[in-house]
Amino acid sequence: MKYVIKAAKLFDSINASVIENVEVHIENGKICNISKIDENAKYDCEIFDFSHDAELFVMPGLIDSHLHLAHGGVDAREKDDRDPQVALRMYHNGIRNLLVGVTTQRDCGAKNHIDVCYREGLRLGLINGPRTLICGQPIIATGGHCTYMGRQIDGRDEAAKAVREQLQQRVDFIKLMVTGGVSTPTGYPTTPQMTQEEIEACVQIAHNNNKMVSVHAQGGIGVDWCLDAGVDSIEHGMYLTDGQIDKMVRQGTWYVPTLYAIHAIAVEGAYQEVPMSQMMIDKCAVAFKQHAVSFKKAYDAGVKIAAGTDYKHGALFEELKLMAGYGMPNEKVLQCATWNAAKMLRLDDQIGAIEPGKIADIIVVKGDPLHDISVMSDIKMVMQNGTIVVEEGRLTPTTSYKFYPIQ
């Protein structure tokens, strides 16, 4: 299929700037050319003309770099659901993310490798959803954070084996739960649960197999151990010290703050349909203010940042609003959800920008997010892999799927 998209404003995510009055040529799912609009040109393809409305903003598809599709974000009892129910919820949450412009997402853990089946369903075309990177089961200390879905380990050898088990499932990256968390009854965000030796063993095996290591590390000495081991990204990082931030800059470690996840529990947790536990609310009430401080310091210091939501689906715009509210310029915020995220995921040769050779993941926003970031909640159109999948809030469902080749 061939398309031409004409734009009054197009976001250049690589340079965090706007290009005006351009047309994007798309063929066979890829961007093949970008040029100034030629009003006299005749094209033998479908044309989407947004050039006469300065309030329509064309930009790359969004990337949510940290989420858990298995969670609905409201009812903690869902953690005990049977696997088929979890799989259905993953599909539902993926659609919610696609509707708000997320064309790529990184799922940071699910029980029993349900995420492996979800990714396969996407690959075969059985279901709609954002392109998805998976980690399988997060690796955790016995009794540690997220026991309901984690691969529990004790000792260096068991840690290495746990990584190999995830690699056997052909995961895209490895996820570790190093510190406690706001939902952990057995620890706190600043207390380490995995040992330094266990972390090192996991990183060694993952890096030997060219896989990134993403780490749930909210604060304390556990963050230092992760940085010493050479992990690729710190997730959450609510209690980062100046020394840890400095080391992240020097090592090029990525930071995915997930601001909205903590903020939402602190501010809304007691009032949602199924209230959060008082333990979680109390932890987040303390943490979310320090979280903002850590984020501001990390940005000011030059830490590489990508945007992620954690467990609230269809809400990436809420994360972007907080990032902007804490002092990051809007164009840099958009970069965190596009080009930065693509670089962190090592997919910048394929996605994250609108330029020739890239996959045609493109969204149209109603309004100018460089002036008002809140308009990121209003998505007019979503193109994924060169196909229109969402238009005016309506999903175009997949109608056929691939078959496995005959062996």
Side-chain angles (χ1 to χ4, degrees):
M1 292 291 292
K2 293 182 180 180
Y3 299 100
V4 172
I5 295 176
K6 296 185 177 184
K9 295 179 181 178
L10 183 144
F11 183 61
D12 174 359
S13 58
I14 297 176
N15 297 301
S17 61
V18 170
I19 305 172
E20 297 185 344
N21 300 317
V22 294
E23 53 188 41
V24 182
H25 295 250
I26 297 154
E27 186 172 357
N28 298 324
K30 295 276 187 81
I31 299 162
C32 57
N33 187 44
I34 300 174
S35 61
K36 283 292 183 180
I37 291 175
D38 183 352
E39 297 290 358
N40 298 317
K42 304 295 183 183
Y43 300 117
D44 184 23
C45 64
E46 187 170 0
I47 298 172
F48 294 93
D49 191 352
F50 307 117
S51 63
H52 301 295
D53 189 340
E55 289 302 308
L56 293 178
F57 190 87
V58 177
M59 64 178 291
L62 301 175
I63 302 171
D64 192 323
S65 295
H66 183 125
L67 46 72
H68 295 275
L69 292 166
H71 300 177
V74 175
D75 191 348
R77 295 171 298 183
E78 291 174 345
K79 297 174 181 179
D80 297 324
D81 282 347
R82 291 176 292 179
D83 290 1
Q85 185 79 9
V86 175
L88 290 170
R89 187 161 54 248
M90 291 182 75
Y91 166 71
H92 174 83
N93 289 334
I95 294 298
R96 291 174 67 187
N97 293 327
L98 190 62
L99 289 171
V100 299
V102 174
T103 52
T104 301
Q105 58 192 3
R106 182 177 68 150
D107 188 273
C108 288
K111 64 181 181 178
N112 300 332
H113 296 113
I114 305 172
D115 55 347
V116 177
C117 297
Y118 174 81
R119 184 187 61 181
E120 185 69 356
L122 290 170
R123 189 186 71 82
L124 292 173
L126 286 165
I127 57 174
N128 291 89
R131 180 182 303 102
T132 303
L133 281 71
I134 63 166
C135 66
Q137 290 183 281
I139 295 162
I140 71 172
T142 295
H145 184 64
C146 290
T147 52
Y148 71 96
M149 68 171 171
R151 166 59 163 93
Q152 301 185 53
I153 57 102
D154 291 291
R156 186 182 187 94
D157 291 344
E158 202 165 56
K161 182 177 181 180
V163 173
R164 292 189 177 107
E165 289 173 355
Q166 309 318 307
L167 296 174
Q168 187 177 24
Q169 298 293 327
R170 300 182 181 180
V171 299
D172 300 298
F173 68 102
I174 296 297
K175 174 73 181 294
L176 311 181
M177 302 289 198
V178 168
T179 70
V182 297
S183 64
T184 315
T186 56
Y188 292 89
T190 54
T191 55
Q193 297 188 318
M194 292 179 68
T195 68
Q196 188 169 9
E197 292 75 19
E198 290 166 345
I199 298 165
E200 290 171 350
C202 290
V203 172
Q204 180 182 11
I205 299 301
H207 284 179
N208 285 351
N209 289 273
N210 198 34
K211 298 296 182 184
M212 297 175 290
V213 179
S214 162
V215 180
H216 165 104
Q218 297 190 344
I221 196 171
V223 175
D224 294 296
W225 292 348
C226 291
L227 295 174
D228 289 343
V231 304
D232 299 285
S233 69
I234 298 292
E235 315 290 314
H236 313 305
M238 290 125 61
Y239 294 97
L240 296 178
T241 67
D242 291 345
Q244 290 165 349
I245 289 170
D246 181 64
K247 192 162 190 175
M248 290 173 73
V249 173
R250 286 188 280 111
Q251 294 185 176
T253 310
W254 286 92
Y255 177 36
V256 186
T258 65
L259 297 166
Y260 182 58
I262 309 303
H263 182 272
I265 296 172
V267 176
E268 307 164 10
Y271 308 104
Q272 62 185 30
E273 187 175 353
V274 180
M276 294 285 188
S277 71
Q278 194 60 47
M279 175 199 72
M280 291 179 66
I281 294 170
D282 291 344
K283 283 184 178 181
C284 288
V286 174
F288 91 93
K289 293 179 181 178
Q290 187 58 40
H291 203 181
V293 173
S294 293
F295 172 77
K296 292 175 186 177
K297 285 185 174 182
Y299 171 66
D300 289 342
V303 172
K304 298 188 296 184
I305 299 174
T309 52
D310 202 1
Y311 64 92
K312 291 281 190 181
H313 300 284
L316 184 57
F317 64 90
E318 296 284 6
E319 181 73 12
L320 304 185
K321 283 164 55 179
L322 282 175
M323 295 171 85
Y326 291 155
M328 182 180 279
N330 289 8
E331 65 272 16
K332 296 295 185 181
V333 172
L334 297 184
Q335 206 172 34
C336 288
T338 53
W339 185 240
N340 282 14
K343 289 194 292 184
M344 185 186 75
L345 302 181
R346 301 177 184 173
L347 293 175
D348 51 302
D349 61 331
Q350 302 176 58
I351 61 172
I354 299 175
E355 64 174 6
K358 295 279 197 296
I359 295 169
D361 286 356
I362 298 171
I363 66 172
V364 180
V365 183
K366 296 179 182 178
D368 187 343
L370 296 185
H371 292 113
D372 180 6
I373 199 70
S374 69
V375 302
M376 290 302 297
S377 64
D378 196 354
I379 305 300
K380 178 180 178 67
M381 190 181 85
V382 180
M383 173 179 281
Q384 184 186 35
N385 295 313
T387 299
I388 305 300
V389 291
V390 176
E391 197 166 8
E392 298 289 359
R394 296 187 300 274
L395 176 74
T396 301
T398 180
T399 56
S400 63
Y401 62 92
K402 303 173 188 175
F403 294 92
Y404 290 109
I406 297 173
Q407 301 297 320

